[in-house]
Amino acid sequence: MAAAAGVSITTVSDALNGKGRLPDATRRHVREVADRLGYRPSAAARTLRTGKSGLIGLTVTTYGDEPFTFTEFAYFAEMARAATSAALARGYALVILPATSRHDVWSNVALDGTVVIDPSDQDPVVSELVRQGLPVVSDGRPAGALPVTAWVDNDHEAAVLGILDHLAGAGARRIGLLTGTSTDTYTHLSTTAYLRWCERVGQDPVYEAYPAHDPCAGAVAADRLLARPDRPDAVYGLFDPNGTDLLAAARRYGLRVPDDLLLVCCSESTVYANTEPPITTLSLKPRRIGTAVVQLLIDAIEGVESDRPVEQVIPTELIVRTSSQRRSPRTTVSPPRSSEQT
Amino acid sequence: MAAAAGVSITTVSDALNGKGRLPDATRRHVREVADRLGYRPSAAARTLRTGKSGLIGLTVTTYGDEPFTFTEFAYFAEMARAATSAALARGYALVILPATSRHDVWSNVALDGTVVIDPSDQDPVVSELVRQGLPVVSDGRPAGALPVTAWVDNDHEAAVLGILDHLAGAGARRIGLLTGTSTDTYTHLSTTAYLRWCERVGQDPVYEAYPAHDPCAGAVAADRLLARPDRPDAVYGLFDPNGTDLLAAARRYGLRVPDDLLLVCCSESTVYANTEPPITTLSLKPRRIGTAVVQLLIDAIEGVESDRPVEQVIPTELIVRTSSQRRSPRTTVSPPRSSEQT
């Protein structure tokens, strides 16, 4: 590397680690040579030199000690995959900790830093890691004064308002919400955005909240929402399985989607392109988030000066499918069909 | 748990850990109660009791010290996702180590055991881990005397023979192979199956081998294979990107797929359902493999007596698409079209 760049080994090291006092041109030149040679920083070599472990953690702390196999949800699986790739590409090992991780148990693992997904508002894991002087990057902006090193998130309020306007534009008169009982900012901001929208347009809120790590609870909550006397004619569900939860509940009550009930859910799952009918989904772009959190974490661990902002908002995407589009602008309300059990 | 099952704490522990001398009925009863209560074994509690770390490693050792961001390949991504889920469900953290993992660098990580994907024939990482007394489960049967605790694999010889017969049945007269230069058993068994088939049917082998961790080398090898004077009229590619590699090379030489060239590749990627034309793929079922290797590894770590065999062969699936089906039994050979560069 040094020979190819025509500089000293120290200069190469300083240039790649963002250290020392080098002219920008030299730093740029060394980085170009490194790229051309396909050089990748070796955490292995760095570990021997610095005493760091080369390990970074990833965990979901939202549900405290509740067991939660989070990679079975498409969002977490895609996010973890991107995070793994980003870690491997910079020579780090990613430790995917159980959601039940308590710092007193896993503290024997010498992590250089940790990615925490959707921390709750007074997250003890985040506080303890920060107290130990370890970098913490959160997926989801921290609530209140939670002292993370950096965060990556979406603009959840804008996303929810966009969905509600989309549903109202398709003819919805009473929009319901399926939400969670946890205190992470995703759930919190999405719910308050919904309540404010209701206030603005003069609609009474119609929502059910459930512990989102429990898939059975989602089916029950969807059923409860559609069994209400003030039954909504459109629903937005905040969690991955809510689309199928709501479709099943609609079928039980003889409601046709989209004719009697418009549906949108937040999901990364491709199954919603092939449900009957296909369901409109909000994508939070977990691959971009997973890559960004790991880049920020490794920058913090290595003390690299980078031009990456430490608070990043990633755009969302609404993928509009049949479930949220009325077939005609003036649909005749059909009589309820007999209940179908599957 | 013990109260609910009406037995002692020791009995619960023995029943769930497969230890002690308990009547089968008691063991079954305790497990049923555990299932009903949603009990999951806590590696955290176990760690405190046993001094084990609760960490299991996963790595690809095939390419030695070559950097290899393996989760960018669909097979490894799906396998790692399933392995992560299986580990989390049993309360373990999965450490996804860089492919460049050298035991002298990562040996400071106290792993309870490691999953090694596609070890080479004299893999130093496997030997060293086993020497340290740590369980090693390999994805891919070990070559020679590599002393793994257990392995999970496919029947690669049967899979390749099935593909070659499928291509011959579609009218192929000279079948080529795109293979790797590495010494793992996947590459080795697939290649020898091809060579034996050639000998049996009296066809001269037509193949190119390349270092499969390097995506650019795959494109070059595909090009070389189709540039040969004894150009094949059908090709099977062993690695994930080979379908698109071969399609691009075919386009450069004005060969139409499937009319002039039949194609199959081994891949888990859904892109091949939507290429022009869609490409027939062999699936190795990485999710089943990822789950099985972690179950076997945790059984070995915990000394659980289980009825899972320590050598497991998972069936493969050939997903037949347009690229390996001749449109008519007697296709007229068309004149080569002018080369299309994209």
Side-chain angles (χ1 to χ4, degrees):
Chain A
M1 262 290 308
V7 297
S8 73
I9 291 174
T10 311
T11 303
V12 168
S13 172
D14 285 355
L16 296 180
N17 293 311
K19 288 179 185 156
R21 298 179 157 274
L22 293 175
D24 280 354
T26 306
R27 213 178 281 280
R28 216 161 35 236
H29 169 65
V30 171
R31 286 187 176 159
E32 279 165 14
V33 171
D35 284 347
R36 212 169 58 228
L37 295 178
Y39 168 87
R40 302 198 191 198
S42 156
R46 205 166 33 232
T47 300
L48 293 174
R49 204 172 62 237
T50 62
K52 292 206 169 134
S53 68
L55 299 176
I56 58 183
L58 180 134
T59 189
V60 179
T61 60
T62 327
Y63 306 107
D65 279 339
E66 297 294 324
F68 180 35
T69 305
F70 51 92
T71 50
E72 283 172 11
F73 290 76
Y75 176 89
F76 299 108
E78 289 201 16
M79 191 278 188
R81 172 179 170 177
T84 305
S85 291
L88 292 174
R90 288 181 73 171
Y92 281 76
L94 189 73
V95 186
I96 304 181
L97 295 158
T100 52
S101 72
R102 282 156 41 198
H103 52 85
D104 56 337
V105 170
W106 294 104
S107 62
N108 56 341
V109 184
L111 300 172
D112 293 341
T114 300
V115 171
V116 175
I117 302 176
D118 291 340
S120 60
D121 58 1
Q122 306 219 319
D123 199 274
V125 176
V126 170
S127 307
E128 177 58 22
L129 290 168
V130 170
R131 202 191 57 73
Q132 290 171 19
L134 290 172
V136 176
V137 176
S138 68
D139 168 5
R141 73 194 75 201
L146 214 58
V148 299
T149 312
W151 57 258
V152 180
D153 203 353
N154 310 104
D155 185 343
H156 297 299
E157 287 161 306
V160 170
L161 296 180
I163 289 165
L164 297 172
D165 287 343
H166 167 73
L167 289 170
R173 305 279 178 86
R174 190 188 292 128
I175 305 177
L177 184 76
L178 208 48
T179 183
T181 49
S182 55
T183 60
D184 57 293
T185 49
Y186 168 62
T187 306
H188 177 70
L189 293 178
S190 301
T191 307
T192 52
Y194 167 78
L195 294 174
R196 276 199 206 117
W197 185 89
C198 286
E199 203 179 319
R200 179 158 61 78
V201 303
Q203 186 210 297
D204 284 335
V206 191
Y207 65 94
E208 296 286 341
Y210 74 100
H213 65 288
D214 176 354
C216 298
V220 173
D223 199 278
R224 224 161 46 208
L225 189 60
L226 298 189
R228 292 169 64 128
D230 57 343
R231 173 190 288 167
D233 60 358
V235 178
Y236 173 50
L238 281 189
F239 302 104
D240 198 277
N242 290 167
T244 43
D245 292 342
L246 287 161
L247 263 192
R251 220 177 281 129
R252 277 194 295 277
Y253 293 105
L255 300 169
R256 295 169 309 169
V257 176
D259 305 73
D260 307 322
L261 183 70
L262 298 165
L263 290 185
V264 178
C265 77
C266 183
S267 172
E268 311 303 327
S269 173
T270 52
V271 305
Y272 290 124
N274 299 305
T275 46
E276 186 46 52
I279 294 181
T280 297
T281 52
L282 178 74
S283 168
L284 304 176
K285 303 287 168 194
R287 292 186 195 195
R288 286 188 59 187
I289 292 178
T291 304
V293 288
V294 166
Q295 297 291 15
L296 287 167
L297 184 64
I298 297 178
D299 286 349
I301 291 167
E302 299 185 350
V304 171
E305 281 172 42
S306 92
D307 43 14
R308 279 187 266 269
V310 295
E311 299 183 354
Q312 289 183 32
V313 177
I314 306 287
T316 58
E317 185 188 3
L318 189 66
I319 302 161
V320 177
R321 301 195 183 99
T322 311
S323 73
S324 66
Q325 296 175 299
R326 281 277 148 82
R327 270 163 205 162
S328 67
R330 261 294 72 108
T331 308
T332 314
V333 175
S334 65
R337 294 188 303 174
S338 64
S339 170
E340 287 174 37
Q341 306 273 350
T342 46
Chain B
M1 259 291 310
V7 297
S8 73
I9 290 173
T10 312
T11 303
V12 169
S13 172
D14 284 355
L16 296 180
N17 292 310
K19 288 181 182 154
R21 296 178 158 277
L22 293 175
D24 280 352
T26 307
R27 213 178 280 279
R28 216 163 33 238
H29 169 64
V30 171
R31 286 188 177 162
E32 278 163 14
V33 172
D35 284 346
R36 210 169 61 230
L37 296 178
Y39 169 87
R40 301 199 190 195
S42 155
R46 206 166 34 232
T47 300
L48 292 174
R49 205 173 63 237
T50 61
K52 291 204 169 138
S53 68
L55 299 176
I56 58 183
L58 180 132
T59 189
V60 179
T61 60
T62 327
Y63 305 106
D65 279 340
E66 297 294 324
F68 180 34
T69 305
F70 51 92
T71 50
E72 284 171 10
F73 290 77
Y75 176 88
F76 299 108
E78 288 201 16
M79 190 276 186
R81 172 179 170 176
T84 304
S85 290
L88 293 174
R90 288 181 75 171
Y92 281 77
L94 189 72
V95 186
I96 304 180
L97 296 158
T100 51
S101 73
R102 284 156 41 196
H103 52 84
D104 56 338
V105 171
W106 295 103
S107 62
N108 56 340
V109 184
L111 300 171
D112 292 342
T114 301
V115 172
V116 175
I117 303 176
D118 291 340
S120 59
D121 57 1
Q122 306 220 323
D123 198 274
V125 177
V126 171
S127 307
E128 177 59 22
L129 289 168
V130 170
R131 202 190 57 73
Q132 291 171 18
L134 290 172
V136 176
V137 176
S138 68
D139 168 5
R141 72 194 76 202
L146 213 58
V148 298
T149 311
W151 57 257
V152 180
D153 203 354
N154 311 103
D155 186 342
H156 297 298
E157 286 161 305
V160 169
L161 296 180
I163 289 164
L164 297 172
D165 287 343
H166 167 74
L167 289 169
R173 306 278 179 83
R174 189 187 294 129
I175 305 177
L177 184 76
L178 206 49
T179 183
T181 49
S182 55
T183 60
D184 56 293
T185 50
Y186 168 62
T187 307
H188 177 70
L189 293 178
S190 301
T191 307
T192 53
Y194 167 78
L195 294 173
R196 277 198 205 116
W197 185 90
C198 286
E199 201 177 322
R200 179 159 61 76
V201 303
Q203 184 210 297
D204 284 335
V206 191
Y207 65 93
E208 296 285 340
Y210 75 99
H213 65 288
D214 176 355
C216 297
V220 173
D223 198 279
R224 223 161 46 207
L225 188 60
L226 298 189
R228 292 169 63 127
D230 57 344
R231 173 191 288 166
D233 60 358
V235 177
Y236 173 50
L238 280 189
F239 302 103
D240 197 277
N242 290 167
T244 43
D245 291 343
L246 287 160
L247 264 191
R251 219 175 283 129
R252 277 193 295 278
Y253 293 105
L255 300 169
R256 294 169 309 169
V257 176
D259 305 73
D260 307 323
L261 182 71
L262 298 166
L263 290 186
V264 177
C265 76
C266 183
S267 172
E268 311 303 328
S269 174
T270 52
V271 305
Y272 290 124
N274 298 305
T275 46
E276 187 48 52
I279 294 181
T280 297
T281 52
L282 178 74
S283 169
L284 305 176
K285 304 286 168 196
R287 291 185 196 196
R288 287 188 59 186
I289 293 179
T291 304
V293 288
V294 166
Q295 297 290 15
L296 287 167
L297 184 63
I298 296 178
D299 285 351
I301 291 167
E302 299 185 350
V304 171
E305 279 171 43
S306 92
D307 44 13
R308 278 187 266 269
V310 295
E311 299 182 354
Q312 289 183 31
V313 177
I314 306 286
T316 58
E317 184 189 2
L318 190 65
I319 301 160
V320 177
R321 301 195 183 98
T322 312
S323 73
S324 67
Q325 296 174 300
R326 280 279 147 82
R327 271 164 204 161
S328 68
R330 259 295 70 109
T331 308
T332 314
V333 174
S334 66
R337 293 190 301 174
S338 64
S339 170
E340 287 175 38
Q341 307 272 350
T342 46

